[in-house]
Amino acid sequence: MENQITNVNEYEEIAKQKLPKMVYDFYASGAEDQWTLKENRDAFSRILLRPRILIDVSKVDMTTSVLGFKISMPIMIAPTGMQKMAHPQGECAIARAASAASTIMTLSIVSNYSYDEVASTGPGIRFFQLYIFKDRNLVTQLVRRAERAGFKAVVLTVDRPFIGRREADIKNGFRLPPNMTLKNFERLDFGEQTKAGSSISQARRQFDASLNWKDVKWLQTITSLPILLKGILTAEDARIAVQAGVAGIIVSNHGARQLDYVPASIMVLEEIVKAVEGRIPVFVDGGIRRGTDVYKALALGASAVFIGRAAVFSLAAEGESGVRKVLKMLRDELQLTMALSGSPSLKHITRSHIFTHSDRTTVPSNL
């Protein structure tokens, strides 16, 4: 039992030992000085819990609904690219683990398994992540493929007009291993560039720096699926997102991989929740490694959270089994946190259950 894995963080060290340096660094590193990467974790440690006592917690209910889909817990899997580098079964293994846990998996557009291949792993609620490329016909083709494969929502990443400066990737000369492709780009109509369609360089050349709110409106004209905007960090943009008619917001700094020295996602979550005034659900990702992290996010107003690196590192360490274990660990930790905090269900998790830096000069009204 001495070597038993007891928490999510331990999977990262195992992944580091097992993966080639170039691959581990690709998953683990952030942009430039990596200040935000560290802050994504450190910020959670500055939020303290205020447990309530003598409340019946003999039964703790963690079930919830996301866009009308019932899931077992408010913990979902975020899109992470090129997962076959972590394990041969890649995205298919994570899809099976998410389905077994009765939660939602989001497939990255730059996945090594296609929409159809992931859908063929069995039943499950799955979203797909999307970039809007320069070639709008390419975007339409991708959306149609995902729709036909049964994906239930679009997660539109909006914080990447250019790729952030990830110095570890520069030093390592990062490249996709020669035996791997970006499956969703195969057999698409790239016009005269069809033959290069599955390469990562081709995908990167398609990023559109002119992306703006009009393109969100355009996306709504080509699909009836609900659209979540991933990459919102300010109240101002959250209000515009509501006006644009999107189905929800994911508060995210792209795993600290884009712009360094932006706040941790958890630090701006409450600002965004207040800005949307309950009109659409708000989700959050970034730095979540504990059930207490999930609880804190819910107390700040998140409807649910997404995990990214935690899933990929566990995939690298133990394949599908590792991802299942991570989801169970987080579920068990959240259940225990809820019980010890006096929250028998998600609706009983309130702002008064936590204490943040901004609360130091105020006293909760219900004390």
Side-chain angles (χ1 to χ4, degrees):
M1 301 295 286
E2 183 178 334
N3 295 323
Q4 180 180 355
I5 297 172
T6 57
N7 66 74
V8 170
N9 284 310
E10 293 178 18
Y11 277 107
E12 180 169 358
E13 184 56 37
I14 297 171
K16 186 175 184 179
Q17 294 170 9
K18 293 187 71 169
L19 293 172
K21 184 178 187 300
M22 180 187 76
V23 173
Y24 171 77
D25 286 351
F26 172 78
Y27 291 133
S29 64
E32 297 187 350
D33 297 330
Q34 303 188 113
W35 181 88
T36 298
L37 181 68
K38 183 174 184 293
E39 177 67 1
N40 271 353
R41 284 296 308 133
D42 291 348
F44 279 101
S45 69
R46 298 195 296 273
I47 303 171
L48 305 182
L49 302 176
R50 301 184 65 250
R52 301 300 302 274
I53 60 169
L54 296 176
I55 294 172
D56 182 358
V57 289
S58 56
K59 294 181 181 179
V60 174
D61 180 12
M62 291 180 288
T63 60
T64 190
S65 291
V66 171
L67 303 182
F69 301 104
K70 189 172 182 180
I71 56 177
S72 67
M73 57 183 172
I75 303 167
M76 301 175 286
I77 294 183
T80 306
M82 298 176 280
Q83 294 173 5
K84 198 173 181 180
M85 295 192 304
H87 187 275
Q89 295 179 17
E91 294 86 2
C92 290
I94 287 189
R96 288 191 295 267
S99 179
S102 296
T103 193
I104 293 167
M105 177 253 200
T106 310
L107 182 68
S108 169
I109 194 171
V110 288
S111 57
N112 299 128
Y113 285 94
S114 69
Y115 300 128
D116 288 334
E117 288 171 322
V118 170
S120 71
T121 61
I125 306 163
R126 300 181 184 109
F127 298 167
F128 71 99
Q129 180 260 338
L130 183 70
Y131 293 112
I132 291 184
F133 295 118
K134 294 175 183 176
D135 183 348
R136 297 299 192 263
N137 178 53
L138 177 61
V139 178
T140 301
Q141 292 177 71
L142 289 163
V143 170
R144 294 290 172 263
R145 282 188 176 185
E147 289 174 334
R148 287 195 297 269
F151 284 73
K152 302 300 185 185
V154 183
V155 174
L156 178 62
T157 299
V158 293
D159 59 357
R160 195 176 180 179
F162 294 97
I163 297 173
R165 183 178 172 82
R166 301 162 196 168
E167 295 178 4
D169 289 348
I170 296 170
K171 288 179 183 294
N172 293 330
F174 175 79
R175 63 200 177 280
L176 191 64
N179 61 329
M180 298 181 193
T181 59
L182 305 182
K183 280 295 197 71
N184 289 321
F185 289 86
E186 292 184 345
R187 297 183 303 280
L188 289 179
D189 179 9
F190 276 80
E192 296 178 357
Q193 303 173 46
T194 301
K195 291 182 180 179
S198 63
S199 72
I200 189 169
S201 60
Q202 175 62 41
R204 284 179 170 174
R205 284 196 295 270
Q206 281 287 340
F207 284 114
D208 189 353
S210 73
L211 182 68
N212 60 71
W213 289 101
K214 291 179 181 178
D215 297 306
V216 176
K217 286 293 187 182
W218 170 80
L219 182 61
Q220 291 168 329
T221 69
I222 69 164
T223 184
S224 60
L225 292 177
I227 298 169
L228 301 177
L229 293 191
K230 179 179 183 290
I232 301 289
L233 287 175
T234 65
E236 295 92 328
D237 284 336
R239 293 187 190 100
I240 299 172
V242 172
Q243 294 167 2
V246 300
I249 286 170
I250 303 175
V251 180
S252 174
N253 54 37
H254 210 113
R257 293 164 65 80
Q258 282 296 99
L259 180 63
D260 201 13
Y261 295 99
V262 298
S265 302
I266 194 69
M267 287 290 98
V268 296
L269 172 60
E270 188 170 28
E271 165 190 336
I272 291 169
V273 168
K274 289 178 178 177
V276 305
E277 299 178 323
R279 290 172 287 182
I280 57 175
V282 177
F283 309 98
V284 67
D285 70 13
I288 293 164
R289 301 290 189 277
R290 286 282 189 182
T292 49
D293 298 337
V294 181
Y295 187 93
K296 292 169 184 179
L298 298 176
L300 286 167
S303 295
V305 307
F306 286 88
I307 61 168
R309 288 186 175 94
V312 171
F313 290 145
S314 60
L315 174 70
E318 296 181 349
E320 179 184 339
S321 172
V323 184
R324 287 188 182 220
K325 289 176 184 176
V326 154
L327 289 170
K328 186 178 187 303
M329 281 181 185
L330 290 173
R331 175 187 174 86
D332 290 348
E333 287 182 11
L334 175 60
Q335 184 176 39
L336 182 60
T337 302
M338 289 174 65
L340 295 179
S341 298
S343 304
S345 72
L346 300 184
K347 70 180 181 182
H348 291 97
I349 302 175
T350 69
R351 181 62 173 80
S352 66
H353 282 99
I354 58 169
F355 183 86
T356 70
H357 178 80
S358 64
D359 300 322
R360 292 183 179 180
T361 58
T362 62
V363 178
S365 60
N366 60 345
L367 279 179

